[in-house]
Amino acid sequence: MGQRDYLLLIDADDTLWESALFFQRTEEDFLNLMSALGASAEDVRRTVHRRDIERLSVTGYGAEPYMDTLDSILREYFPEPPGWAATSLEDMRRCLLGHPVVLTPGAVATLKMISGMPFYSVVYTMGEEVHQRDKFKRSGLDAVVDELTIVPEKTVDSLREILRLRGFSPERTILVGNSPRSDINPATTLGLSAVFLQRELTWSLEHEELSHPHMVVEINEFNELLKVLDSFLDKDASMTGKQSSASEWRCRQ
């Protein structure tokens, strides 16, 4: 690996691998369970969504707090649920916590290419430490990125601290993510360039208007990131009068 002149922060859930897909499946399984017990699926769905938002200020993000929320809803509707229902919920918990790590198409090949560019690459995610580290380990991406960092919640302050600890300025940092609320807007507010990966399944709470759309490049496939980074390097080289261009970096591989 060559010199790392720039910092690249890459969101994990629903950017590098599937996450919302498995939460959605768990919700549908829970609604089916509640229907089998005699509850209205739509009434339970509304309750789940309301409680899911309410819990964030208390427990933060994560699969375990989400499953705890479902457990509390089950016992609110049915204070003494039958044993089979409690067992079914625990099965759902195991499935969500241990769901397969399904990588985004093109992620591995793209990250291998980026490892030959002047970017220090950090997988930047939030949630429960143990769960996120387990997914990262199972992903195998530790072989093609430089670092994993986990924060309780993604904010402007958490981004600022990451840059401070690694010695990079906002102007030399790019963030890639699928969430306007947690990824893109905090990044551009701090002055970072941002790459918005459009994903069909993104939690509704993460939808938000882009605060600084002129600082954001939108892509539909992860492998499109290479062209964005090439363009960033060329632009920075032209602004600073550097000799090295993006094409020269590629030729060194």
Side-chain angles (χ1 to χ4, degrees):
M1 292 185 178
Q3 184 176 344
R4 302 309 202 213
D5 294 326
Y6 307 91
L7 177 62
L8 177 64
L9 301 174
I10 312 170
D11 170 56
D13 291 332
D14 294 311
T15 297
L16 288 174
W17 56 67
E18 299 288 352
S19 179
L21 171 66
F22 297 103
F23 276 88
Q24 183 183 71
R25 290 177 179 175
T26 301
E27 179 179 304
E28 291 303 319
D29 286 343
F30 182 69
L31 295 179
N32 288 333
L33 168 63
M34 296 296 281
S35 293
L37 290 169
S40 163
E42 285 309 308
D43 180 61
V44 173
R45 189 191 302 274
R46 287 191 292 270
T47 301
V48 169
H49 291 181
R50 184 178 71 253
R51 295 289 180 78
D52 204 22
I53 293 172
E54 292 172 353
R55 74 175 170 83
L56 289 180
S57 61
V58 179
T59 66
Y61 293 81
E64 279 282 12
Y66 177 74
M67 290 307 308
D68 289 343
T69 297
L70 298 188
D71 183 70
S72 68
I73 293 172
L74 169 64
R75 296 176 190 282
E76 177 182 321
Y77 278 76
F78 304 100
E80 296 184 6
W84 67 265
T87 299
S88 293
L89 190 64
E90 285 307 304
D91 288 342
M92 294 178 206
R93 185 187 297 269
R94 283 193 295 273
C95 288
L96 183 60
L97 291 176
H99 71 71
V101 178
V102 180
L103 294 175
T104 302
V108 175
T110 300
L111 291 173
K112 284 182 178 178
M113 292 289 291
I114 292 172
S115 69
M117 300 172 76
F119 290 96
Y120 184 79
S121 57
V122 176
V123 174
Y124 171 55
T125 188
M126 64 181 173
E128 302 159 287
E129 180 90 13
V130 173
H131 189 214
Q132 293 298 87
R133 287 197 179 278
D134 173 65
K135 288 192 290 186
F136 180 67
K137 180 179 180 181
R138 289 189 286 129
S139 76
L141 294 180
D142 56 330
V144 288
V145 299
D146 294 302
E147 183 186 343
L148 167 70
T149 189
I150 304 167
V151 295
E153 186 173 0
K154 291 177 175 178
T155 63
V156 173
D157 287 340
S158 64
L159 272 177
R160 184 182 290 112
E161 181 66 3
I162 286 173
L163 268 62
R164 184 189 69 81
L165 291 174
R166 290 156 186 80
F168 288 94
S169 66
E171 296 77 17
R172 302 179 77 78
T173 304
I174 300 177
L175 183 140
V176 185
N178 74 296
S179 166
R181 178 178 180 269
S182 294
D183 298 322
I184 308 302
N185 286 340
T188 56
T189 297
L190 189 57
L192 280 64
S193 297
V195 182
F196 180 20
L197 176 62
Q198 299 274 7
R199 295 301 308 274
E200 183 177 347
L201 286 181
T202 297
W203 189 24
S204 59
L205 191 63
E206 296 297 329
H207 290 278
E208 199 171 78
E209 290 294 321
L210 298 179
S211 300
H212 307 87
H214 64 287
M215 301 173 66
V216 181
V217 176
E218 297 186 17
I219 61 176
N220 295 306
E221 302 291 340
F222 194 82
N223 59 15
E224 295 175 41
L225 178 59
L226 288 171
K227 290 183 178 179
V228 177
L229 298 183
D230 277 348
S231 178
F232 177 85
L233 292 177
D234 282 336
K235 181 179 179 180
D236 188 63
S238 65
M239 292 179 64
T240 60
K242 291 180 179 179
Q243 296 295 318
S244 297
S245 67
S247 59
E248 288 176 317
W249 281 106
R250 287 196 298 274
C251 288
R252 294 177 186 178
Q253 308 319 309

